[in-house]
Amino acid sequence: MARRTWYRLDNIGKFYSSQAGRSSQTVFRYSAELEDDIAPDILQHALDHAIAQFPSFNVHLLNGMFWHYLEQSDGRPLVEPEHLPICSRLHYGPKSMLFRVSYFRNRVNLEVSHIISDGRGAINLFKSLLHAYIAERYDVPGVPSDYDGSDSDKAENSFDKYYEKDKAGAAPGTKIYRLSGPIDRDAPTFMEYHVSASKMLGAAHQCGVSLTSYLIAAILCAIRDVMPSRARNRAIRVDIPVDLRAFFRSETVRNFYGMTYVAYTPADIEADEDSAKTSATGPDATGDGQQSAARTAHGNGMGGLLTDEPLADIARHVQEQLGHATSRERVESHMNRMIALEKNPVLRLAPSPAKDWVLELARFITDRETTTTVSNLGRVTLDERLARHVRSVSFLTTPASLNFTVCSFGDDLSIGISTIYHDLNVIKNLCRILATQGISGLMNIAGVHVEKGASA
């Protein structure tokens, strides 16, 4: 009997494999709405084709003495009608497949464990699935694949390839604001907020910033509006995954990203009464106008009013920070710091259960240093012969607290929101802030605390 192919876990995969025995596992999900209801037989053919193109997804997680590892599966993944909650765990035991493909009406879903891939890597599998399905369903032959990496490129552990011990920087320290209130990690709420990409981009360009900077600024304002006064000296920290393929020569479909962040400490600015009213109701309003106006106060002892910094100014602060935060030097420093923990001599000699405990502790500490996370996948593109049959594409992930995921397809910008918090005021504030800028949209919601049994 031929020996099966096996893979070492990459740096990120090792962190997420520590969740393998737990009910809470990090899974991300792509969805696409097509123009007609899904044909299950054709979707199965498409999955067969896609997994043959990307076999490193069809693996099991097994336990080794010192590290977990991945082994190639000889089983055939099967599509299934959607019947599980969004981003349900994938690993149940050594024979578990670490991805699933499901469908509901005209929507096809791909869910992938973070153990085996990141968002940028798995989009290749999802696009291959859509490509094969649309080509057969709508008889669109001859469209070439837009991924041309080799088999070794696909399975490459790019963290090991590009690790440089001497470039591991120190982690910064500051007081971070964390959201509070009742939570439920086992039943998070998931939402998709669909808005016009061109309107969002137009509003961003009016401020002289990118769409990412503008959206992060709006999220910062939404969080600021729920902060108690006593916490306004703490920084709202937004963690941002950065695709390392943009800095290194890599075509891997495994995990290969680093983290960076921007931070904003709510600042009061002095304004006269007329300008304070304008900021509460005008183009730069940062949430509920009445709420912003109500929190202005005679705080300088000279009769002046203190008011929140406007959205446009915060967006420019974010843009400036992002320029440094996404520099190769900073991203590389963070990447090497992550790998340094994995390569610690004491940890390397520890048995797998001890490693799991240490890595889970490290992940817990990291989560405590973050207010929220924004992951922007950017534009999802397909050949125009295929794209005309797709209405929208969405991206969601299992939340550690409050997570935002963003992608666009055509003029549809999908803002994925996943949260463990029962209180949804931050999301309400965000929708209100965007609406004051002329950016309104459609919200799909799935969560036991909002609309039990609903499907996103």
Side-chain angles (χ1 to χ4, degrees):
M1 180 178 174
R3 187 174 181 179
R4 292 180 181 174
T5 302
W6 67 279
Y7 308 94
R8 288 187 176 91
L9 286 166
D10 56 62
N11 173 264
I12 299 295
K14 288 175 180 176
F15 273 85
Y16 285 110
S17 69
S18 65
Q19 304 173 342
R22 305 172 188 269
S23 60
S24 176
Q25 299 175 14
T26 302
V27 174
F28 54 90
R29 166 184 171 114
Y30 291 106
S31 299
E33 286 193 355
L34 306 185
E35 60 184 1
D36 296 300
D37 284 356
I38 300 300
D41 290 346
I42 298 176
L43 184 60
Q44 183 63 58
H45 298 164
L47 176 56
D48 293 341
H49 171 86
I51 209 63
Q53 187 179 7
F54 296 100
S56 62
F57 285 89
N58 192 19
V59 292
H60 303 308
L61 179 70
L62 299 177
N63 294 327
M65 180 176 294
F66 294 105
W67 288 110
H68 303 295
Y69 65 97
L70 301 171
E71 184 180 75
Q72 192 76 49
S73 171
D74 55 9
R76 183 193 186 197
L78 300 176
V79 304
E80 55 190 45
E82 185 176 16
H83 63 282
L84 295 170
I86 292 172
C87 291
S88 292
R89 66 174 177 158
L90 285 155
H91 179 78
Y92 288 89
K95 294 301 181 182
S96 302
M97 290 187 177
L98 298 179
F99 76 98
R100 73 169 64 91
V101 174
S102 63
Y103 60 91
F104 178 73
R105 294 179 182 170
N106 66 330
R107 176 175 286 217
V108 57
N109 311 302
L110 169 68
E111 293 177 323
V112 179
S113 169
H114 228 321
I115 294 171
I116 59 173
S117 187
D118 59 20
R120 289 286 183 181
I123 190 65
N124 293 290
L125 177 64
F126 189 57
K127 290 171 69 172
S128 177
L129 179 72
L130 290 179
H131 185 149
Y133 177 82
I134 294 171
E136 182 176 350
R137 180 77 164 83
Y138 297 102
D139 191 20
V140 187
V143 181
S145 169
D146 62 0
Y147 179 88
D148 58 3
S150 66
D151 288 344
S152 60
D153 289 336
K154 296 169 188 173
E156 177 184 271
N157 184 346
S158 295
F159 283 112
D160 269 358
K161 183 176 181 179
Y162 293 108
Y163 172 60
E164 296 181 73
K165 181 179 179 181
D166 295 338
K167 293 186 178 181
T174 187
K175 291 184 177 180
I176 303 300
Y177 174 71
R178 286 184 53 79
L179 296 167
S180 60
I183 64 172
D184 190 340
R185 295 185 184 278
D186 294 326
T189 298
F190 293 93
M191 309 180 195
E192 296 172 5
Y193 192 47
H194 292 267
V195 300
S196 166
S198 58
K199 286 185 178 180
M200 182 77 83
L201 192 60
H205 286 172
Q206 283 186 352
C207 299
V209 301
S210 68
L211 186 151
T212 300
S213 295
Y214 185 82
L215 179 58
I216 290 173
I219 292 170
L220 289 170
C221 291
I223 294 172
R224 179 186 63 189
D225 285 353
V226 303
M227 291 176 74
S229 298
R230 64 181 181 278
R232 287 173 67 90
N233 62 337
R234 291 181 174 267
I236 305 170
R237 173 167 158 162
V238 180
D239 276 17
I240 305 162
V242 177
D243 181 19
L244 294 175
R245 299 168 187 82
F247 298 90
F248 302 96
R249 291 174 60 93
S250 175
E251 296 291 335
T252 185
V253 296
R254 300 175 71 186
N255 289 296
F256 194 44
Y257 73 93
M259 295 293 290
T260 191
Y261 70 92
V262 297
Y264 170 71
T265 303
D268 293 320
I269 58 174
E270 186 175 341
D272 58 35
E273 189 171 357
D274 289 339
S275 63
K277 289 179 179 178
T278 300
S279 70
T281 58
D284 290 329
T286 59
D288 187 334
Q290 289 183 324
Q291 181 181 359
S292 295
R295 71 159 304 279
T296 59
H298 293 273
N300 60 4
M302 298 176 62
L305 291 172
L306 295 179
T307 187
D308 286 327
E309 219 176 347
L311 172 60
D313 288 355
I314 297 173
R316 286 187 279 269
H317 296 330
V318 171
Q319 179 88 354
E320 184 177 354
Q321 284 192 59
L322 277 178
H324 173 65
T326 56
S327 66
R328 177 166 181 147
E329 179 182 3
R330 181 158 162 181
V331 170
E332 199 173 44
S333 173
H334 184 274
M335 178 190 79
N336 287 297
R337 188 169 69 248
M338 288 194 307
I339 302 173
L341 174 62
E342 169 199 336
K343 295 187 178 296
N344 181 286
V346 176
L347 186 62
R348 291 182 72 176
L349 293 173
S352 288
K355 285 187 174 76
D356 287 347
W357 186 86
V358 172
L359 294 176
E360 189 67 11
L361 177 62
R363 194 178 68 87
F364 173 79
I365 293 171
T366 299
D367 289 345
R368 297 290 300 175
E369 296 173 345
T370 300
T371 310
T372 188
T373 301
V374 177
S375 179
N376 190 351
L377 189 68
R379 293 178 62 231
V380 178
T381 59
L382 293 170
D383 185 284
E384 61 179 10
R385 289 167 288 180
L386 306 173
R388 65 170 62 106
H389 301 286
V390 180
R391 292 178 178 174
S392 66
V393 174
S394 302
F395 180 37
L396 288 166
T397 188
T398 307
S401 57
L402 171 63
N403 293 66
F404 295 89
T405 48
V406 187
C407 69
S408 66
F409 184 81
D411 191 45
D412 180 74
L413 181 73
S414 175
I415 304 171
I417 305 162
S418 50
T419 179
I420 62 174
Y421 294 98
H422 293 193
D423 187 340
L424 303 180
N425 281 330
V426 171
I427 293 96
K428 293 176 184 176
N429 288 343
L430 177 62
C431 295
R432 191 181 300 118
I433 288 165
L434 294 178
T436 63
Q437 310 301 312
I439 306 166
S440 57
L442 174 67
M443 179 72 81
N444 294 330
I445 303 176
V448 295
H449 304 299
V450 182
E451 189 177 340
K452 189 172 182 179
S455 173

